[in-house]
Amino acid sequence: MTERENEILALIKQDPMIAQQTLADKLGCSRSAVAGHIMNLTRKGIIQGKGYVIAPEQYAVVIGGANMDLCGRSASELVLGDSNPGTLTSSAGGVGRNIADNLGRLGSKVQFIGAIGDDKWGEQLQQACRSANVGVDHCVVVTGATTSSYLSIHGPDGEMQIALNDMGLIDQLNAETLSDRDGVINCSSAVILDANLSESALDYLFSIHKDKAILVDPVSSVKASKLIPYLDRIHTLKPNKIEAELLSGMKITTNDDLPVVAESLHNKGIKNLLISLGSEGAFSSSVKQVISVEESNSEKEQRFIPPSATQINNVTGAGDALMAGLAHGHMSAWSWQQSVDFALAAACLALKADKTINTTMSEHSVQRLLEENSPC
């Protein structure tokens, strides 16, 4: 919105029945200018109907893991069983938290629900979220608990070699604690989940909030299996190759198998699907419901996205940025193809950062990368 539109909206919020001439007098402009601004606000969907009914603020709720990321990168090829020279860094992490962080930086309104301890790490995680314009008022803060942590070791090329996680605290996100937060979930425009959540939490969310657009990151092949009972309630899924095989019950031997696997997942109820193939590219598939006078049927929009080279500093955060890009596209009411292109560019931007989160992440920086057609 423009500065003038923001001024008009602020006055309307104070008095929804305010007259256009009164608005003009308060702002020192003409009535016709006010009328033009109100027309623009109506076209944008911010003002709905007569009496200046203001549309409720759209926001997404992200529910999932929050932990401190401890990352080591060796200066040369790793030697197992020995001390390797390299660099060590720590930063805010967790799949759900990272998705929320990227989504906030992209410009979407976000509320994050995670479980953290009342320790220094917990404070750091909350502050990191606030710095990315992510709300944390609904997080579960567990008294006396140690905030979760994730340790990853990377080779000189940035590829992860091994990781350890201490993330038992996420089990505090259960049916009881989530039901206390039903208000903020009910009013959201979309819910983004990661499969780090317990089976109890997933069952509650998919049962109580099944009418919401639910976007899911399977996280890993081990955790993805928890999603099998709820595939018919997932709006958008972002699996990798192994996770897609597990959830579809089919093998991906060649690229020719991808449409068949996608068809299987669509038949199980998933509307939008982006299969990440790592260095081999990605496969996008979406089902659109087409309603005619005679009948209702569906059309599929599928495409293989080939890989291209990029500077890889840290692969850990690319998948989280990819998921955030898809969620931002959904929140912005973009087409599936536009959302996919944007999400892949966001992942490319994440790959260029030394840390899990690229602090230059924004809608503008991602769009610029798309416009420049930079190799990724």
Side-chain angles (χ1 to χ4, degrees), residues 194-370:
D194 77 45
N196 283 310
L197 292 168
S198 67
E199 292 183 10
S200 164
L202 290 170
D203 186 65
Y204 180 82
L205 291 166
F206 280 116
S207 298
I208 302 301
H209 300 286
K210 60 185 177 182
D211 294 332
K212 290 288 179 186
I214 301 179
L215 293 74
V216 181
D217 189 321
V219 179
S220 71
S221 58
V222 174
K223 295 171 182 176
S225 61
K226 293 185 285 186
L227 301 173
I228 292 175
Y230 313 109
L231 294 178
D232 61 336
R233 299 169 216 180
I234 295 176
H235 178 278
T236 298
L237 183 71
K238 183 200 70 66
N240 62 22
K241 179 180 176 180
I242 297 174
E243 294 157 1
E245 289 179 333
L246 172 71
L247 295 173
S248 67
M250 307 177 73
K251 294 293 291 182
I252 301 174
T253 305
T254 69
N255 288 344
D256 292 338
D257 297 324
L258 291 167
V260 182
V261 168
E263 177 77 15
S264 172
L265 289 169
H266 287 316
N267 288 339
K268 295 177 188 295
I270 293 169
K271 180 180 178 183
N272 297 321
L273 178 69
L274 181 61
I275 303 175
S276 174
L277 303 171
S279 61
E280 298 176 8
F283 184 78
S284 162
S285 185
S286 178
V287 174
K288 291 182 179 180
Q289 197 68 23
V290 180
I291 300 175
S292 64
V293 177
E294 295 82 11
E295 59 181 357
S296 174
N297 52 47
S298 60
E299 291 181 355
K300 293 181 181 62
E301 179 183 312
Q302 297 183 330
R303 62 184 171 128
F304 174 77
I305 302 109
S308 48
T310 189
Q311 171 191 355
I312 300 177
N313 288 336
N314 188 344
V315 299
T316 304
D320 304 331
L322 186 67
M323 189 74 227
L326 293 176
H328 184 66
H330 174 77
M331 295 292 292
S332 302
W334 295 343
S335 69
W336 173 244
Q337 181 169 327
Q338 183 180 359
S339 296
V340 168
D341 289 340
F342 182 87
L344 290 169
C348 290
L349 196 61
L351 284 170
K352 298 176 186 295
D354 292 323
K355 295 186 177 180
T356 305
I357 298 293
N358 189 331
T359 56
T360 68
M361 184 70 68
S362 69
E363 182 177 301
H364 175 73
S365 61
V366 176
Q367 294 288 10
R368 185 172 58 190
L369 191 64
L370 281 168

Side-chain angles (χ1 to χ4, degrees), residues 97-112:
R97 199 219 67 85
N98 289 346
I99 293 170
D101 189 302
N102 280 290
L103 191 52
R105 292 178 190 275
L106 289 172
S108 288
K109 299 287 186 182
V110 194
Q111 290 290 333
F112 174 63

Side-chain angles (χ1 to χ4, degrees), residues 12-166:
I12 288 173
K13 286 180 178 178
Q14 295 172 17
D15 180 8
M17 300 304 293
I18 191 170
Q20 288 187 3
Q21 187 58 58
T22 304
L23 285 169
D25 294 341
K26 286 180 177 289
L27 296 171
C29 61
S30 67
R31 182 180 179 280
S32 60
V34 168
H37 289 304
I38 288 176
M39 183 178 295
N40 287 334
L41 287 167
T42 303
R43 286 172 177 166
K44 293 175 181 179
I46 297 167
I47 290 177
Q48 298 180 339
K50 295 182 179 179
Y52 304 137
V53 178
I54 299 172
E57 184 179 53
Q58 284 200 330
Y59 66 89
V61 170
V62 181
I63 309 172
N67 52 262
M68 287 302 295
D69 275 343
L70 311 173
C71 179
R73 181 170 179 172
S74 65
S76 56
E77 289 300 318
L78 282 166
V79 179
L80 297 180
D82 201 358
S83 176
N84 293 263
T87 57
L88 299 172
T89 59
S90 64
S91 59
V95 174
R97 199 219 67 85
N98 289 346
I99 293 170
D101 189 302
N102 280 290
L103 191 52
R105 292 178 190 275
L106 289 172
S108 288
K109 299 287 186 182
V110 194
Q111 290 290 333
F112 174 63
I113 300 176
I116 57 176
D118 60 346
D119 55 4
K120 289 294 184 182
W121 276 355
E123 292 175 12
Q124 285 181 256
L125 289 179
Q126 291 187 77
Q127 185 53 48
C129 285
R130 294 189 188 102
S131 297
N133 297 315
V134 174
V136 290
D137 292 342
H138 303 281
C139 280
V140 177
V141 181
V142 185
T143 304
T146 299
T147 296
S148 300
S149 56
Y150 175 84
L151 169 65
S152 60
I153 302 298
H154 301 252
D157 58 357
E159 291 288 345
M160 187 182 73
Q161 300 300 313
I162 193 169
L164 295 172
N165 71 78
D166 179 7

